[in-house]
Amino acid sequence: MKSTIPDTGVPIALPTGNGGDRQEASLHGEILLRLRDYVVEGNIPDGARVPERQLCEMLGISRTPLREALKVLAAEGLIELLPNRGARVRQLSQRDLEELFDVMAGLESLAGRLACEAITDAEITGIEQLHYEMYGHYLHRDMHGYFQINQRIHESIVAAARNEALKTAYGNFAGRIRRIRYSANFARKRQRWGEAMREHEAILDALRRRAGSELSDILFLHLRNKRTAAIEHLTEPQGDAPASP
C-alpha cells in the first residue's frame, strides 16, 4: 500500500448546568486532564519536583483538588508521591523503557489479533474517523491534538479485543510510558512523527481487512520503533532537543 503521508509533517471555570455533584466531577476531570497533559508534554523535567503552588496559580485552583489529581497521576505511573515532600515526575532509565515498551508491544500485538476477530463495522468506522482527525493534526503540526487522538485509536483497538484482563493490563502500563511515548515523536535521528503516521495507515488498512496476524505484527513493530525513538530522544544532548513542531 502506497503511503500518502509526507516526510515533514486559564483558570478552570465551573461548568454551567444543574447538579453540584456533576459539576464537581466535571471540574475534577478537567483539572486531571490539564494536569496530565502538562506533565506528559514535558513541562516539568524528568525527576523534578512538581511545583504545586505554580500549578495552583496556573489552573486557578486550591491545593486540595490539585493533590487529588496528583494521586490519580501517581496511580497511572506518571509521577511519584513523596511522603511529606510533595511529588516528582517519574524518571525512567533506558532499561525501564526497553522493558516497558516490550510489554506494551506484546499487549498491543495481542489486542490487534483479538480485535480483528471481534470488531464491528461501526467500530472500524469510528477508528477511521479518528485516523483522519489525527492526520489533520499531523498536517497542521499540532502535536497536542495528534497525540490525544493517537491514544484514543490505540485504546479503541484494545477495547475492540473484548478482553477485560488485557484491557486492565494495558491500562496499568500505558500511563507509565505516556510521557516518553509523547516525546519520542521529537527524536531527531529519524523523522519519527512521519514514520508513525505511515505506520498508522498500515494499522488502519489491516484492521479494515480484519487481518489479525498482519495487524499483530504491525502493532508490535510500531511499538518497537517507538521504543527506539524514545531511547534516542532520551540520550540526545538536551541542548539539541527540538521545540515542538
Side-chain angles (χ1 to χ4, degrees):
M1 182 184 66
K2 182 176 174 56
S3 174
T4 60
I5 305 300
D7 287 327
T8 58
V10 184
I12 299 174
L14 280 170
T16 58
N18 297 324
D21 290 343
R22 290 195 301 272
Q23 287 185 340
E24 184 176 349
S26 178
L27 179 61
H28 174 74
E30 186 175 351
I31 293 169
L32 179 60
L33 180 63
R34 289 182 59 181
L35 184 59
R36 183 188 291 117
D37 287 347
Y38 192 79
V39 174
V40 166
E41 293 174 12
N43 292 291
I44 307 172
D46 288 343
R49 295 282 292 275
V50 174
E52 292 189 18
R53 181 179 300 177
Q54 176 185 328
L55 290 173
C56 286
E57 293 175 357
M58 181 185 77
L59 298 172
I61 58 175
S62 66
R63 287 281 179 93
T64 298
L66 177 71
R67 286 175 176 170
E68 289 302 312
L70 289 174
K71 289 178 183 178
V72 176
L73 297 189
E76 293 177 356
L78 275 173
I79 66 168
E80 295 174 299
L81 298 178
L82 307 173
N84 302 316
R85 291 185 293 129
R88 68 184 174 197
V89 174
R90 184 181 293 274
Q91 188 167 21
L92 298 174
S93 68
Q94 180 172 332
R95 183 60 183 166
D96 291 334
L97 292 180
E98 290 172 349
E99 293 179 350
L100 287 169
F101 269 100
D102 276 351
V103 171
M104 288 294 288
L107 292 173
E108 293 209 20
S109 175
L110 176 59
R113 185 181 295 272
L114 295 178
C116 286
E117 298 174 359
I119 197 166
T120 65
D121 291 342
E123 286 173 319
I124 292 177
T125 298
I127 292 173
E128 285 179 331
Q129 292 171 345
L130 289 174
H131 174 85
Y132 293 121
E133 185 177 350
M134 181 177 70
Y135 186 33
H137 289 304
Y138 169 77
L139 292 176
H140 288 92
R141 315 307 287 166
D142 173 13
M143 176 58 77
H144 175 86
Y146 168 89
F147 187 73
Q148 298 301 317
I149 302 302
N150 178 286
Q151 295 301 286
R152 287 177 60 187
I153 290 172
H154 285 274
E155 290 164 2
S156 295
I157 294 173
V158 172
R162 307 286 195 276
N163 186 303
E164 288 302 316
L166 172 60
K167 185 177 179 180
T168 298
Y170 179 85
N172 288 340
F173 283 98
R176 297 172 66 182
I177 62 169
R178 185 177 284 116
R179 175 182 170 95
I180 194 66
R181 197 166 179 167
Y182 177 92
S183 64
N185 292 293
F186 300 123
R188 300 189 67 175
K189 293 180 182 179
R190 60 170 70 193
Q191 293 181 341
R192 176 58 199 163
W193 197 358
E195 180 183 62
M197 196 64 232
R198 288 188 288 276
E199 290 168 2
H200 265 270
E201 281 194 327
I203 289 169
L204 180 59
D205 177 64
L207 191 61
R208 284 171 175 152
R209 293 183 286 108
R210 291 177 169 83
S213 179
E214 182 180 340
L215 180 58
S216 177
D217 290 344
I218 293 169
L219 284 166
F220 189 87
L221 182 60
H222 180 63
L223 267 292
R224 270 297 180 89
N225 287 340
K226 179 75 76 172
R227 184 188 78 163
T228 300
I231 292 171
E232 286 176 359
H233 182 72
L234 180 71
T235 57
E236 282 171 349
Q238 192 169 8
D240 292 342
S244 62

